[in-house]
Amino acid sequence: MDLDEGWLSRRIFHDQDIYEAEMRNIFARCWLFVAHETQIPNPGDFLTTYMGEDAVIVCRQKDLSIKVFVNSCPHRGNKVCYADAGNARRFVCNYHGWGFDTAGKLQGMHEEYCYDPGDIDKSKWGLKEVAKVDSYKGLVFATFDPAVPSLADYLGDYRWYLDCIVDNDEGGTELIGGCIKSIIPANWKFGVENFVGDAYHAGWTHDSGTRAMNDGNPFPPIDMVNSFHASANGHGHEFGLEGVGDIFLLGRPKVMEYYNSVLRPRMAKRLGERRSMIFGSVASASIFPNVSYLPGISTFRTWLPKGPMQLELRTWVIVNRNMPDEIKEEITTGVMQTFGPGGAFEMDDGENWENCTLSNRGVVTREEKLHYRCGIGRKLDHPEFPGTIYRGQYNDANQRGFYRRWQDLMNAGGAWSEVPDRNSNRLRGRETRDLPGGLLNL
Ligand code: FES
Ligand code: FE
């Protein structure tokens, strides 16, 4: 791959060795989204999810802190919790009855007398805990790597954009209506790269869906002068400044009215006029490595890798906690009609990613390059927007930013000190460093 030239190898979408390296070098090292704080408000509240392919339990403690530990019994490896979410006093393994408290400590087991003195030191056989847990304005992240930079540094300049969705009004956000899971036979990166910057597909792939949702009206035109790609550390937000594109696509007039009359004026006060126009515009975003959202449409999602050619998509509806119930319901209905599993847009995307993944695997096809050069000369210094900025929403800039970070981590061999700074425009000159040969010099 050569991101300065703007092309990628197709191998990264199906190769098993590369996938294993992604699990070690990216998912076992980066900060990964595991929960929203409001999903587990009370002591004993828990949910189960995955960090890479490692199953984990995210659990609220008695002191209201949050612990994350591996959902795998140290006896034979069974999951100690099969449920998606709930409230527990302990987690008891189904297989031989080992029981763990909500902090993951081994408390006891079925027929404990079968162990002779010296067979087991219970204090050493708890559930493995992650290295760090931290949160950013309601979003809880965890990492297996004790050497990872702080969550604030990891998010870097991207926080300016993330605040558009998590901090645009008093009281913060919540995920409502539960979690929807779907399996898509596609590589996890196709979902992330689509949301990080692929405005280009929207007017084409989603043309019929847009017309069906909006009385025959087509996808809003993109203003290539007043629209941008912004990326920092592999995270990215592509956006316009027109204020109403994604809100229009949601197809709920009451939400549009609420946004125009209530939310946008408050947002302008809180985050500034500029970000109030970014929020509702045609926009999409991803947090490296595998979280995505649409600010004005309010879908929030994570792409869980399940092998190189399969992903599990988990989606939620994200709303401001202080919104009237009627507006929350309108937004939920709108999200289901657009980006629910049977939504007008969700199905169009999944089919494309499935076929991208499958066709890239052909033994002859895999030797061909993929083109990621759109807009490569449109980099600019913007006085207001943090991060690395490119002009024009039809652009591959954020995708290049995402894969640059991916490549940095895959090549850094475990040390964060070897991972280049990709946070902002401070980085001058060539977009990527020259990489040594090896597995990932693709
Ligand atoms: Fe959990 Fe045996 S595998 S108790
Ligand atoms: Fe799409």
Side-chain angles (χ1 to χ4, degrees):
M1 57 202 285
D2 187 334
L3 293 163
D4 288 329
E5 290 299 319
W7 63 268
L8 283 188
S9 164
R10 300 179 188 234
R11 276 179 54 202
I12 68 169
F13 297 110
H14 60 80
D15 186 289
Q16 187 70 40
D17 291 340
I18 290 173
Y19 178 78
E20 292 296 329
E22 285 177 335
M23 294 303 105
R24 276 193 311 277
N25 291 353
I26 294 175
F27 286 90
R29 287 207 284 166
C30 289
W31 284 102
L32 304 174
F33 169 78
V34 291
H36 192 289
E37 283 178 3
T38 58
Q39 290 178 291
I40 46 170
N42 302 310
D45 285 353
F46 72 89
L47 60 80
T48 56
T49 183
Y50 289 86
M51 294 171 63
E53 288 209 47
D54 291 290
V56 294
I57 301 171
V58 185
C59 190
R60 182 75 73 172
Q61 304 297 297
K62 288 190 186 114
D63 65 1
L64 296 182
S65 66
I66 292 172
K67 278 191 191 293
V68 180
F69 34 82
V70 165
N71 187 5
S72 177
C73 179
H75 185 224
R76 294 293 185 273
N78 191 20
K79 277 188 178 178
V80 298
C81 180
Y82 290 176
D84 286 339
N87 184 278
R89 276 179 296 171
R90 65 184 71 86
F91 299 101
V92 181
C93 180
N94 275 354
Y95 199 179
H96 310 89
W98 284 26
F100 306 85
D101 68 12
T102 55
K105 291 200 171 60
L106 177 60
Q107 296 290 295
M109 55 273 279
H110 169 67
E111 315 287 34
E112 198 168 332
Y113 59 80
C114 70
Y115 291 94
D116 296 323
D119 281 1
I120 184 163
D121 176 351
K122 281 190 279 186
S123 70
K124 295 195 172 128
W125 289 90
L127 301 173
K128 181 182 171 54
E129 210 175 324
V130 300
K132 290 184 191 177
V133 180
D134 200 356
S135 63
Y136 183 76
K137 300 189 179 181
L139 307 181
V140 182
F141 293 81
T143 173
F144 286 117
D145 188 349
V148 71
S150 71
L151 178 60
D153 285 348
Y154 177 85
L155 293 171
D157 284 350
Y158 184 73
R159 287 172 293 173
W160 193 86
Y161 302 96
L162 184 53
D163 285 352
C164 288
I165 193 164
V166 295
D167 192 21
N168 65 49
D169 204 354
E170 282 298 320
T173 57
E174 60 181 336
L175 304 182
I176 56 171
C179 171
I180 297 172
K181 301 177 186 172
S182 359
I183 297 290
I184 303 177
N187 183 272
W188 65 274
K189 295 187 289 299
F190 275 122
V192 186
E193 71 142 69
N194 178 278
F195 275 69
V196 86
D198 198 332
Y200 182 40
H201 84 291
W204 181 254
T205 292
H206 301 308
D207 180 55
S208 57
T210 303
R211 290 175 196 270
M213 287 282 299
N214 294 288
D215 302 326
N217 291 311
F219 199 82
I222 294 293
D223 175 346
M224 286 289 280
V225 175
N226 292 305
S227 68
F228 301 89
H229 270 214
S231 72
N233 285 344
H235 322 299
H237 192 137
E238 55 90 11
F239 56 92
L241 299 174
E242 86 291 346
V244 292
D246 273 0
I247 303 266
F248 160 78
L249 287 170
L250 189 68
R252 309 303 294 182
K254 281 187 184 163
V255 177
M256 178 71 90
E257 190 190 319
Y258 178 80
Y259 172 65
N260 282 330
S261 62
V262 178
L263 187 55
R264 192 163 65 192
R266 285 193 205 159
M267 214 182 288
K269 248 191 205 160
R270 192 175 178 87
L271 300 177
E273 185 67 28
R274 195 66 115 174
R275 278 190 283 181
S276 76
M277 299 305 280
I278 289 174
F279 173 86
S281 71
V282 172
S284 64
S286 293
I287 305 171
F288 191 93
N290 67 331
V291 172
S292 299
Y293 56 91
L294 302 174
I297 289 183
S298 304
T299 178
F300 190 92
R301 54 197 41 222
T302 182
W303 318 91
L304 301 176
K306 299 288 176 191
M309 298 184 70
Q310 185 162 286
L311 67 87
E312 180 183 322
L313 171 59
R314 294 193 176 189
T315 73
W316 299 267
V317 178
I318 187 167
V319 295
N320 289 345
R321 295 177 80 182
N322 68 358
M323 280 174 173
D325 287 345
E326 186 195 13
I327 296 301
K328 290 180 183 176
E329 273 168 37
E330 284 281 329
I331 290 175
T332 305
T333 304
V335 173
M336 290 306 113
Q337 288 173 343
T338 52
F339 284 92
F345 303 133
E346 193 87 298
M347 289 188 291
D348 300 334
D349 287 327
E351 185 181 36
N352 287 333
W353 304 334
E354 178 177 344
N355 283 291
C356 290
T357 303
L358 274 176
S359 63
N360 280 333
R361 186 158 175 258
V363 291
V364 174
T365 311
R366 70 179 62 169
E367 302 304 329
E368 299 295 305
K369 298 171 181 173
L370 293 173
H371 186 273
Y372 281 76
R373 199 178 158 83
C374 183
I376 202 162
R378 287 194 231 120
K379 189 172 179 182
L380 61 109
D381 283 321
H382 195 280
E384 204 177 345
F385 301 148
T388 298
I389 307 300
Y390 280 73
R391 188 182 294 285
Q393 230 170 328
Y394 290 162
N395 207 317
D396 291 333
N398 279 2
Q399 291 92 322
R400 289 191 297 271
F402 169 78
Y403 286 113
R404 197 166 291 121
R405 183 69 159 173
W406 180 92
Q407 191 179 33
D408 289 343
L409 283 157
M410 293 287 270
N411 282 288
W416 278 96
S417 55
E418 289 177 27
V419 181
D421 173 15
R422 302 291 185 194
N423 188 39
S424 73
N425 275 332
R426 291 193 304 274
L427 197 70
R428 304 292 178 197
R430 281 172 65 85
E431 288 189 335
T432 57
R433 63 194 178 130
D434 293 321
L435 295 162
L439 174 69
L440 296 164
N441 194 17
L442 300 168

